[in-house]
Amino acid sequence: MPVKRNKKTPSRSDWRALVDGPNKKKPKTVTVGASIRIFLQKLKFFVMLALFGALCYTVYVLYSTSFFDDIIGTDSEKIKHIEFKTDGVITSKWIGSYVHYKDLLSRNKTLAEADIFAIKNALENLTQIKKATVERVYPDKLRITVSEHRPMAKAITQIDMRTILYIVSPEGVFYEPICMNETYVKDMPLITGYQLNFNGRTPQELKCAPKIVEFLAYSQSRMPMQKWKSINIRDLESVAPILVASTENDVKIIFAPKDYKKQFDRLEYVLKYSKENNIQDIKQIDLSLKERADVKLKTKQK
């Protein structure tokens, strides 16, 4: 009597094996230990890259300083050229005279003997210079690069019975001008109504400088031919802030440090009206009021 075999229903895994075939690769599982090893390998790569960058920077510093000659023994010639670059107005002739005046360079010094750190410090002690870099370019060139503060306005103060002229940058830095055109300085607006405060011999920064920059920028875009003789900032940081700009004819115009479009619209209307009606003795125009502009005359109209 034949024995009956029970037919076994294939399991789900058996059907998947039939569909995928015998050659399908099993997915690899990454253990925790393998993940750590991969992470450490990547970390090692980035550390080596950082060390390589630090090494390159160190070589550059050594090359630019006197330590390079002491360690490696590079021969250098006497300084024959000074290459000077700036983003401002200081001239290479002035810089050459300055470093020689400070006895930082002499004709008999070799490039290796030049104290580039002393030159850098001497240049950055000039208040007009924001940053200076000094490099050796072998065999016989010294490269000096400076970044200067930009001019916005001027200020005058008394120090030890002397009148000192300062230029004010848009960032509020006061500095003594070097190689600046006299006519250009003369035409710059004079900041008044402000007492300079000093840290040693250096004036503290003007904190309200951004407000002055905003006013001058809008004025230049709206009335490019208008020159301001002075700007009084005494009340610019008060509860009801105003600034008073004076024209070359000593007409005082009062502005609020906001909504300049509306105020300049009123100013243009007043100037047009006064021209059409031959009014030439305006003393003051107050544009800081909300609803109107007040005009004061030097003489009373009959």
Side-chain angles (χ1 to χ4, degrees):
M1 184 176 179
V3 179
K4 292 183 179 180
R5 297 180 179 179
N6 295 328
K7 294 183 179 180
K8 184 179 179 181
T9 303
S11 65
R12 182 176 299 176
S13 60
D14 294 335
W15 284 110
R16 185 177 298 280
L18 290 174
V19 173
D20 295 339
N23 297 323
K24 182 177 179 179
K25 296 182 180 180
K26 295 182 179 181
K28 294 182 180 180
T29 58
V30 181
T31 63
V32 175
S35 299
I36 295 175
R37 285 195 297 273
I38 293 172
F39 172 75
L40 292 176
Q41 288 176 355
K42 292 182 178 179
L43 180 63
K44 182 180 178 181
F45 171 77
F46 286 113
V47 170
M48 293 298 293
L49 187 63
L51 289 175
F52 178 74
L55 178 62
C56 292
Y57 178 75
T58 303
V59 171
Y60 169 76
V61 171
L62 291 175
Y63 180 81
S64 301
T65 66
S66 59
F67 298 110
F68 185 85
D69 296 274
D70 296 336
I71 296 172
I72 304 178
T74 299
D75 294 330
S76 64
E77 300 180 7
K78 293 180 180 179
I79 299 173
K80 297 179 181 178
H81 308 283
I82 297 179
E83 180 184 292
F84 177 69
K85 295 181 180 179
T86 181
D87 58 0
V89 298
I90 298 177
T91 64
S92 58
K93 182 179 179 180
W94 191 95
I95 286 293
S97 300
Y98 176 73
V99 295
H100 283 99
Y101 169 75
K102 289 289 185 179
D103 198 25
L104 300 172
L105 290 177
S106 67
R107 298 185 183 276
N108 296 323
K109 278 188 177 180
T110 64
L111 186 61
E113 293 172 336
D115 190 343
I116 61 174
F117 295 110
I119 297 173
K120 172 183 169 67
N121 291 334
L123 292 174
E124 291 184 344
N125 283 335
L126 298 170
T127 52
Q128 184 166 318
I129 293 180
K130 187 187 304 183
K131 182 180 179 182
T133 58
V134 185
E135 304 170 275
R136 294 185 178 89
V137 182
Y138 287 93
D140 57 6
K141 183 189 294 184
L142 193 68
R143 178 180 294 151
I144 299 175
T145 306
V146 301
S147 176
E148 301 179 36
H149 290 290
R150 294 173 296 141
M152 175 188 67
K154 62 187 176 185
I156 296 176
T157 189
Q158 295 286 331
I159 301 177
D160 298 331
M161 305 298 292
R162 294 184 300 117
T163 301
I164 305 297
L165 170 68
Y166 286 102
I167 304 299
V168 191
S169 76
E171 295 77 25
V173 176
F174 291 90
Y175 61 90
E176 296 181 69
I178 301 171
C179 298
M180 296 190 70
N181 183 277
E182 292 183 4
T183 303
Y184 179 74
V185 174
K186 183 180 178 182
D187 290 340
M188 294 174 65
L190 176 68
I191 300 298
T192 63
Y194 177 78
Q195 181 66 41
L196 272 72
N197 298 311
F198 288 80
N199 289 325
R201 297 185 61 86
T202 305
Q204 295 180 6
E205 294 185 2
L206 182 63
K207 294 182 179 179
C208 63
K211 295 181 180 180
I212 303 174
V213 172
E214 183 184 6
F215 166 73
L216 290 175
Y218 192 88
S219 174
Q220 177 65 25
S221 64
R222 187 68 179 266
M223 303 175 68
M225 300 303 295
Q226 177 63 54
K227 293 182 180 180
W228 302 108
K229 182 178 179 180
S230 65
I231 301 175
N232 190 306
I233 60 172
R234 183 187 60 186
D235 299 316
L236 189 53
E237 297 293 318
S238 63
V239 178
I242 58 171
L243 61 83
V244 183
S246 297
T247 68
E248 294 178 325
N249 297 324
D250 292 325
V251 178
K252 291 179 170 56
I253 305 178
I254 304 174
F255 293 90
K258 60 181 180 179
D259 198 5
Y260 285 119
K261 182 181 182 306
K262 181 186 293 185
Q263 295 179 81
F264 273 88
D265 286 344
R266 293 175 180 172
L267 178 59
E268 288 182 343
Y269 174 81
V270 170
L271 295 178
K272 181 180 178 181
Y273 180 87
S274 62
K275 183 177 180 180
E276 291 175 348
N277 293 272
N278 197 27
I279 301 174
Q280 300 179 359
D281 58 346
I282 294 178
K283 179 180 180 181
Q284 177 179 294
I285 305 173
D286 189 349
L287 304 170
S288 65
L289 305 174
K290 289 184 178 181
E291 303 298 333
R292 68 185 190 278
D294 279 357
V295 179
K296 293 183 178 179
L297 303 179
K298 297 176 182 178
T299 58
K300 295 183 179 180
Q301 295 292 311
K302 294 181 180 181

